[in-house]
Amino acid sequence: MEKVLLGTTETPSPNREVAVRYVLLPLLPMIFGILLSGLNMCMGGSATSCEECLLIHPSCAWCAQEDFGRGRTLTSRCDFSQNLQKRGCESQFIEFPSSSTSVLKNVPLSSKGSGPTQYDVTQIMPQKISLSLRPGDQTWFEVQVRQVEDYPVDLYYLMDLSLSMKDDLDTIRNLGTKLAQEMGKLTSNFRLGFGSFVDKNMSPFSYTAPKYQENPCNGCLFPNCVPSFGFRHILSLTDKVDRFNEEVQKQMVSRNRDAPEGGFDAILQASVCKERIGWRKEAYHLLVFATDDVPHLALDGKLGGLVQPHDGRCHLDGNNEYSASTMMDYPSLALLGEKLAENNIYLIFAVTKRLYVIYKNFTALIPGTTVEILDQDSKNIIQLIINAYNVSKGNMCLRALWRGVSVSLCVTKRDFDTPLPGLRKCADLKIGDTVSFNVSVEARSCPPRGTDQSFTIKPVGFKDRLEVAVDYRCDCSCSRTARANSSICSSIGTYNCGTCRCEPGYLGARCECQEGETSSMYLSACREAEGKQVCSGRGECSCNQCLCYESEFGKIYGSFCECDDFSCARHKGILCSGHGECHCGECKCHAGYIGDNCNCSTETSPCISDDGQMCSGRGSCVCGRCQCTEPGAFGDTCEKCPTCPDACGTKRYGAGSKLTLCLFSLSLAETDDPGAVLCLYKTDNDCVMKFTYSEHANGQSVLTALQEPECGGGPDAMMVLLAVVGSILLVGIVLLAAWKLVITIHDRREFARFQSARSRARYEMVRMPQTFHRV
């Protein structure tokens, strides 16, 4: 299904616009080709015709050249354009249609809406364009919209006349005069109309008992009510505001049974009954919907047995009342939004504060609507309408009407030099501002021939619109010269865009073979062995020989398509390690390399150690790297080995006792020979000696002592024993002394306590006789 993608930005700067439109856009197919070169979807799609190729991806092209791909390779004519040229297809034979845009009508925008030119006001530019769309490809064009100054305004006031709105009705009885005065500050051409609604006059929505037929308010505090009604058109749009006041003063409230109202029925009739309401084509349409309760929605009508969906048409009878109120269900939000858009009506919900959130959610589902908070008695209705009018003029939305389905996107524009793509509302505009929209259109597929190939783009609430005619680029130009029974196709096929479409019973690239009894023989000749796949599953058997497929990975060849140049062993993801060529599944290595994947180098120079030995004499050179065989050896040339017998140990043991005797007689010296090896040697008497060892060019070994031997005597065993025993005795004495000190302190405290208790007892004995004498 085709899809219209709408995105908006500000008017681009000239340099940026030129760069995008004339440089980047034509290069998009090439960029796609480069990005997708690693995964060639064009060749992988197995397209057998030019039309099939174009549907795979917008970056795919078709080669219609007759001699393209001659040989034993089944060449794919569907590929990226640059690949086809590299493979020998001349540019004039490459079919590569692209999307484009042509402006058919482009009248400049108007600056004012009143005066003698008010019927020729232009608020959208351009007015008509033509698009050539290739499936899957996108094209862009710019739309400019400007709200002109002093534009005519039609305002239809639609009021809820249920019983709860009685005080509101009293408030608006003189609304017309005051509203005309305020609107006169915004436009010199203002018209006002009036309509009312309650609900469907049927159970369970209204009172249907006989006693309520004439007066549904029977038994209430307000006894005078008119019978319930769905929608009643009272005053057509007029510039005589006194008529509005007169008609409003005649109105009386009614009463329905349930809380929700039938307001959506009224909105739909006020939108589609254009002649009765009096909407002018050249005016800005405002519909004010005033209520204090929630509306009934689609499917609520089933409560009263109404199963027929609303048809979206006008149903006003001779008395200007909604005649289908008890025949059809309530309209859906989608139908309501569609009809408001078709008739360029901007809807204002004027509702009480408790309903604000509910109706705010409706505005998100119905483009071109806003919600304002209405006081309980509607005393702020004039200021509310002025505010809503300013909001509607400060917002800008584009809608695309595509086969009856509308799609809309908006972008807020606060700074006209900075684009803000992706936002969904265009706000804070002023009268006279020009807004630029960048519209992107994409065709997902080719529609059936004869279908409607046009759509409309229009600003919400405006009569102006952009007509877009669409031409689908689904056919190849080479198909226009197709030749039936062409000699190229052995006179038994149709030659079309470089290929033959054979008549039934014939096959082959040029229809040179015939199906039937010999077909099995043809197939057996295309098998490498009995039981094998035909052409190894990588080609087609055509007239006793295999035509190999082309592959995005490389070349497939061989009598039975059994060979290729991409199925060889790899090393780190690189075919033949980059040091060989792949021939029929086997790597043919370049000079200096061996192995199944040519990753083994025969060069040995990296294995030579500093001393000129191969791997320091501790390993072997394999594939240009040392593999150490000496336990403990490591390093690039096995030069490191802490556990290996080194030069120091060899010379020490080779010198034997002579080295031990002679070292003391050698003079101490410093050496700056960079090739000298530092050695440590421990003698029999536990002395450590340091010396260096080096080899001269004449083969002599030179030992150079660096310092006097470091000797140390071993500890005396008796002294160690005595020290240990003494330490143990000392620790015991210290512990006994500490214990004795603690016991002494404790005993002294106890003795002092005993002495104190004894003294108190003696004192009491002395005082007792005196006490008895007194008694």
Side-chain angles (χ1 to χ4, degrees):
M1 177 180 179
E2 295 79 10
K3 182 179 181 181
V4 180
L5 305 177
L6 298 180
T8 67
T9 64
E10 89 300 342
T11 304
S13 63
N15 293 338
R16 185 191 311 163
E17 183 178 2
V18 170
V20 171
R21 180 173 299 176
Y22 299 106
V23 178
L24 292 181
L25 296 185
L27 292 178
L28 282 179
M30 183 180 298
I31 295 173
F32 274 119
I34 295 174
L35 293 177
L36 300 175
S37 59
L39 182 60
N40 195 329
M41 63 187 63
C42 302
M43 295 177 61
S46 299
T48 59
S49 67
C50 183
E51 285 73 19
E52 291 179 2
C53 177
L54 299 185
L55 290 175
I56 294 176
H57 193 271
S59 62
C60 296
W62 178 269
C63 180
Q65 186 172 321
E66 179 183 346
D67 58 351
F68 179 71
R70 286 288 179 89
R72 297 198 60 184
T73 300
L74 194 62
T75 303
S76 174
R77 294 178 176 269
C78 186
D79 200 348
F80 300 128
S81 178
Q82 61 271 24
N83 290 351
L84 292 175
Q85 293 184 15
K86 291 178 181 179
R87 289 162 50 198
C89 185
E90 299 179 13
S91 57
Q92 65 266 28
F93 295 105
I94 295 179
E95 295 285 339
F96 185 60
S98 59
S99 300
S100 61
T101 303
S102 299
V103 178
L104 304 180
K105 185 178 181 182
N106 196 24
V107 178
L109 297 173
S110 304
S111 58
K112 196 171 183 179
S114 61
T117 61
Q118 63 176 325
Y119 299 106
D120 296 322
V121 172
T122 301
Q123 298 184 98
I124 187 171
M125 184 178 74
Q127 296 80 39
K128 183 177 293 186
I129 63 174
S130 175
L131 301 181
S132 292
L133 297 181
R134 176 176 172 175
D137 195 13
Q138 288 186 349
T139 187
W140 295 262
F141 57 88
E142 183 183 71
V143 178
Q144 292 187 342
V145 182
R146 177 191 296 166
Q147 301 185 84
V148 299
E149 298 179 2
D150 197 21
Y151 195 70
V153 176
D154 287 348
L155 189 150
Y156 192 80
Y157 192 86
L158 185 58
M159 185 175 182
D160 178 5
L161 284 187
S162 60
L163 186 59
S164 58
M165 293 287 287
K166 186 177 186 304
D167 54 346
D168 301 79
L169 180 61
D170 297 334
T171 302
I172 69 165
R173 294 192 185 277
N174 295 316
L175 173 66
T177 303
K178 298 178 182 178
L179 185 58
Q181 292 175 353
E182 293 297 326
M183 292 297 295
K185 302 176 183 178
L186 304 174
T187 177
S188 61
N189 194 338
F190 176 68
R191 297 175 66 181
L192 187 63
F194 182 72
S196 61
F197 66 91
V198 183
D199 206 348
K200 296 182 182 295
N201 190 17
M202 60 183 299
S203 181
F205 312 114
S206 298
Y207 292 96
T208 57
K211 66 177 182 177
Y212 297 120
Q213 290 296 319
E214 297 297 330
N215 183 11
C217 295
N218 190 6
C220 297
L221 296 178
F222 308 99
N224 296 323
C225 288
V226 297
S228 298
F229 58 91
F231 165 66
R232 182 175 294 159
H233 169 53
I234 299 172
L235 177 65
S236 298
L237 292 165
T238 178
D239 55 0
K240 298 178 175 58
V241 295
D242 292 339
R243 286 284 316 279
F244 181 89
N245 297 336
E246 293 174 4
E247 293 298 333
V248 171
Q249 290 175 3
K250 297 178 184 178
Q251 302 308 309
M252 297 178 60
V253 295
S254 183
R255 185 187 181 195
N256 60 323
R257 189 169 190 175
D258 58 352
E261 318 290 3
F264 279 8
D265 268 341
I267 292 176
L268 185 61
Q269 293 303 301
S271 301
V272 299
C273 299
K274 296 179 290 186
E275 291 77 12
R276 296 286 189 94
I277 303 299
W279 297 114
R280 294 177 292 177
K281 292 183 179 180
E282 65 279 359
Y284 187 68
H285 302 160
L286 289 177
L287 177 59
V288 179
F289 178 79
T291 184
D292 64 347
D293 220 320
V294 296
H296 275 297
L297 303 176
L299 301 182
D300 286 356
K302 289 188 175 181
L303 296 173
L306 302 179
V307 296
Q308 180 181 351
H310 204 290
D311 59 5
R313 299 178 181 177
C314 178
H315 294 280
L316 292 184
D317 59 16
N319 296 323
N320 284 331
E321 290 195 7
Y322 179 37
S323 59
S325 177
T326 58
M327 299 167 55
M328 289 186 295
D329 193 9
Y330 299 95
S332 65
L333 292 174
L335 179 62
L336 205 61
E338 179 183 340
K339 295 305 177 182
L340 288 171
E342 286 181 4
N343 296 282
N344 312 316
I345 295 175
Y346 193 90
L347 176 62
I348 302 172
F349 289 120
V351 299
T352 53
K353 186 175 182 180
R354 69 181 183 88
L355 302 176
Y356 179 81
V357 175
I358 296 176
Y359 281 89
K360 186 67 175 177
N361 293 334
F362 288 155
T363 63
L365 300 173
I366 308 176
T369 59
T370 186
V371 58
E372 297 287 341
I373 297 178
L374 182 69
D375 289 346
Q376 290 295 334
D377 56 357
S378 296
K379 62 183 179 181
N380 69 329
I381 186 64
I382 294 180
Q383 188 59 44
L384 180 151
I385 293 175
I386 300 300
N387 292 341
Y389 174 80
N390 291 331
V391 169
S392 67
K393 284 297 185 180
N395 291 341
M396 184 74 68
C397 269
L398 277 189
R399 291 173 62 90
L401 305 179
W402 184 265
R403 298 184 184 177
V405 179
S406 61
V407 181
S408 67
L409 276 178
C410 299
V411 167
T412 300
K413 290 175 52 59
R414 301 182 185 274
D415 184 353
F416 287 86
D417 293 327
T418 304
L420 297 173
L423 301 182
R424 295 196 56 87
K425 192 174 183 180
C426 192
D428 298 338
L429 300 177
K430 297 179 181 179
I431 301 297
D433 285 344
T434 301
V435 184
S436 296
F437 293 82
N438 283 339
V439 183
S440 171
V441 184
E442 177 182 354
R444 296 297 187 187
S445 61
C446 293
R449 299 184 183 277
T451 56
D452 183 17
Q453 298 180 354
S454 64
F455 65 96
T456 301
I457 294 178
K458 62 186 298 297
V460 174
F462 286 50
K463 71 177 181 64
D464 304 78
R465 62 185 62 205
L466 168 61
E467 299 292 339
V468 182
V470 181
D471 174 30
Y472 293 91
R473 304 294 300 272
C474 298
D475 298 325
C476 299
S477 59
C478 58
S479 298
R480 303 168 189 168
T481 59
R483 301 192 299 272
N485 299 323
S486 171
S487 59
I488 301 176
C489 304
S490 305
S491 300
I492 48 176
T494 301
Y495 180 75
N496 185 15
C497 295
T499 61
C500 286
R501 292 184 177 272
C502 304
E503 296 293 337
Y506 295 89
L507 48 84
R510 295 293 179 260
C511 306
E512 65 272 26
C513 302
Q514 187 174 5
E515 295 179 349
E517 298 178 354
T518 58
S519 60
S520 59
M521 179 184 67
Y522 289 150
L523 293 180
S524 62
C526 293
R527 288 190 176 95
E528 187 176 6
E530 189 67 28
K532 295 282 188 177
Q533 287 184 296
V534 175
C535 298
S536 303
R538 303 196 293 181
E540 292 182 2
C541 185
S542 177
C543 300
N544 211 24
Q545 65 176 355
C546 286
L547 297 180
C548 304
Y549 295 135
E550 280 192 337
S551 172
E552 58 186 292
F553 302 108
K555 182 181 180 181
I556 300 175
Y557 60 96
S559 301
F560 306 99
C561 303
E562 73 278 10
C563 295
D564 61 59
D565 59 1
F566 55 83
S567 296
C568 293
R570 297 172 183 263
H571 179 65
K572 295 183 178 180
I574 302 177
L575 189 68
C576 296
S577 305
H579 302 305
E581 303 295 335
C582 182
H583 293 282
C584 203
E586 182 179 352
C587 285
K588 302 297 182 181
C589 302
H590 297 156
Y593 292 92
I594 58 175
D596 293 339
N597 54 14
C598 301
N599 69 325
C600 184
S601 174
T602 58
E603 182 66 33
T604 59
S605 58
C607 298
I608 305 298
S609 59
D610 294 338
D611 59 2
Q613 299 185 73
M614 185 69 69
C615 298
S616 303
R618 299 178 180 138
S620 57
C621 188
V622 179
C623 294
R625 300 184 63 182
C626 283
Q627 290 187 356
C628 304
T629 56
E630 184 75 22
F634 63 96
D636 292 339
T637 58
C638 304
E639 73 278 9
K640 301 175 183 180
C641 184
T643 61
C644 293
D646 56 6
C648 298
T650 302
K651 294 302 176 184
R652 174 172 61 85
Y653 292 119
S657 58
K658 182 178 180 180
L659 175 63
T660 305
L661 295 175
C662 294
L663 281 176
F664 290 103
S665 61
L666 294 175
S667 61
L668 299 179
E670 296 291 339
T671 179
D672 56 358
D673 186 357
V677 179
L678 177 63
C679 301
L680 300 177
Y681 172 58
K682 187 176 182 181
T683 64
D684 295 337
N685 56 354
D686 294 330
C687 292
V688 178
M689 304 181 63
K690 294 183 179 180
F691 62 94
T692 61
Y693 159 72
S694 61
E695 295 280 352
H696 278 189
N698 57 8
Q700 292 181 344
S701 298
V702 178
L703 300 178
T704 303
L706 299 181
Q707 65 181 25
E708 295 288 349
E710 296 179 359
C711 301
D716 191 346
M718 183 58 68
M719 293 300 293
V720 172
L721 178 61
L722 291 177
V724 172
V725 173
S727 299
I728 294 174
L729 291 176
L730 180 60
V731 171
I733 293 172
V734 171
L735 292 176
L736 287 174
W739 178 78
K740 181 62 177 177
L741 179 60
V742 172
I743 293 299
T744 301
I745 294 173
H746 178 269
D747 289 346
R748 287 183 179 180
R749 288 180 178 176
E750 292 297 326
F751 182 74
R753 190 179 294 110
F754 169 75
Q755 290 287 27
S756 177
R758 183 178 180 186
S759 297
R760 286 197 302 272
R762 184 179 300 168
Y763 175 75
E764 295 294 335
M765 292 295 296
V766 172
R767 290 177 55 86
M768 286 179 58
Q770 297 178 1
T771 304
F772 293 147
H773 179 72
R774 290 178 181 179
V775 175

